[in-house]
Amino acid sequence: MSISKNTVHLLLGYLEDCFLLRTVWIEADSERRRMVNPRKAYPVDPGLIPLFDRPWGTDDRDSCGIIPNTMPLGPRVVVDTNVVVAGLRSRRGTAFRLLSEIGGSRFEIALSVPLVLEYEDALLRCSTVTRLRRSDVDAVLDYLCSVGHLQQIFYLWRPFLADPKDDFVLELAVAARCRSIITYNVRDFVGAERFGVGILEPGPFLAGLGVLK
């Protein structure tokens, strides 16, 4: 029986979600370099599955997850480039508050190689406003890659959105099974709801998580 490469990766994703398979990224000095290298897949002993399903509470962190001091993450989302730039330009807005929550347990960000490259390009172009040096931008991107879900994309939906430059963001959200895309350009993603992906600005998103009132 012959199946496509996309089907193989889809099945591998299901096995990972069921804790029957674990993929490991290649070791590298930069988190971004790991994203463009193939991953190794290792089987997981099914007897370990119950350890991932232990009850947990917000005040009992030591009993969470298979490793002490780890916690299940909230919804997975894609953070659009305009939110990242806005959050690094000013500490006063909801964009900065959202960036401050990245790496915590309230939500998880999804990343792809094209999105990280767009982050990099935008931050370097806005360096006079953000006052970030190249080393600062590298540090920010490496941190985001270290805590985010690094998603490979094998199926393209383009053209779908009005602006073709936004299609790869939607494709990432669909491939990573994200709940929402967080952006200030809500109108640019009209139609994304057909894929089950919500479009929210940072304020309403954080309010829904209980971070903002």
Side-chain angles (χ1 to χ4, degrees), residues 79-99 102 115-132 137 140-141 144 182-185 202:
V79 180
D80 200 6
T81 304
N82 55 71
V83 176
V84 174
V85 173
L88 293 175
R89 288 181 61 180
S90 172
R91 293 173 174 264
R92 299 180 180 180
T94 54
F96 177 78
R97 182 61 185 276
L98 184 144
L99 295 185
I102 293 177
L115 183 60
V116 173
L117 292 177
E118 185 177 79
Y119 284 172
E120 180 180 42
D121 178 67
L123 291 175
L124 291 177
R125 283 189 287 105
C126 298
S127 59
T128 55
V129 178
T130 61
R131 298 181 180 178
L132 294 177
V137 172
V140 169
L141 296 178
L144 294 179
I182 313 304
T183 180
Y184 283 117
N185 298 329

Side-chain angles (χ1 to χ4, degrees), residues 34 43 55-56 67 78 91 111 174 186 207:
R34 301 196 316 170
W56 62 283
I67 302 175
V78 176
R91 293 173 174 264
L111 299 171
V174 174
V186 175

Side-chain angles (χ1 to χ4, degrees), residues 75-182:
R76 181 178 294 166
V77 301
V78 176
V79 180
D80 200 6
T81 304
N82 55 71
V83 176
V84 174
V85 173
L88 293 175
R89 288 181 61 180
S90 172
R91 293 173 174 264
R92 299 180 180 180
T94 54
F96 177 78
R97 182 61 185 276
L98 184 144
L99 295 185
S100 301
E101 293 287 337
I102 293 177
S105 61
R106 296 183 184 274
F107 63 91
E108 181 185 29
I109 61 170
L111 299 171
S112 65
V113 173
L115 183 60
V116 173
L117 292 177
E118 185 177 79
Y119 284 172
E120 180 180 42
D121 178 67
L123 291 175
L124 291 177
R125 283 189 287 105
C126 298
S127 59
T128 55
V129 178
T130 61
R131 298 181 180 178
L132 294 177
R133 297 168 297 180
R134 177 61 192 242
S135 59
D136 298 325
V137 172
D138 288 342
V140 169
L141 296 178
D142 282 345
Y143 174 74
L144 294 179
C145 291
S146 69
V147 300
H149 169 79
L150 310 181
Q151 179 68 44
Q152 292 179 305
I153 300 174
F154 302 98
Y155 190 87
L156 305 181
W157 294 96
R158 66 190 69 178
F160 184 82
L161 299 174
D163 187 349
K165 295 181 180 179
D166 293 323
D167 278 325
F168 78 93
V169 178
L170 176 60
E171 288 163 354
L172 168 59
V174 174
R177 286 170 279 182
C178 293
R179 179 182 297 181
S180 307
I181 294 173
I182 313 304

Side-chain angles (χ1 to χ4, degrees), residues 27-101:
E27 182 65 25
D29 295 335
S30 171
E31 294 292 339
R32 284 175 290 160
R33 293 195 184 98
R34 301 196 316 170
M35 298 176 63
V36 297
N37 286 280
R39 294 175 293 172
K40 292 185 177 181
Y42 296 93
V44 176
D45 184 349
L48 295 177
I49 294 178
L51 295 178
F52 288 87
D53 196 31
R54 294 170 57 183
W56 62 283
T58 56
D59 297 324
D60 189 16
R61 293 174 177 263
D62 290 337
S63 65
C64 304
I66 192 170
I67 302 175
N69 298 321
T70 62
M71 298 198 51
L73 295 172
R76 181 178 294 166
V77 301
V78 176
V79 180
D80 200 6
T81 304
N82 55 71
V83 176
V84 174
V85 173
L88 293 175
R89 288 181 61 180
S90 172
R91 293 173 174 264
R92 299 180 180 180
T94 54
F96 177 78
R97 182 61 185 276
L98 184 144
L99 295 185
S100 301
E101 293 287 337

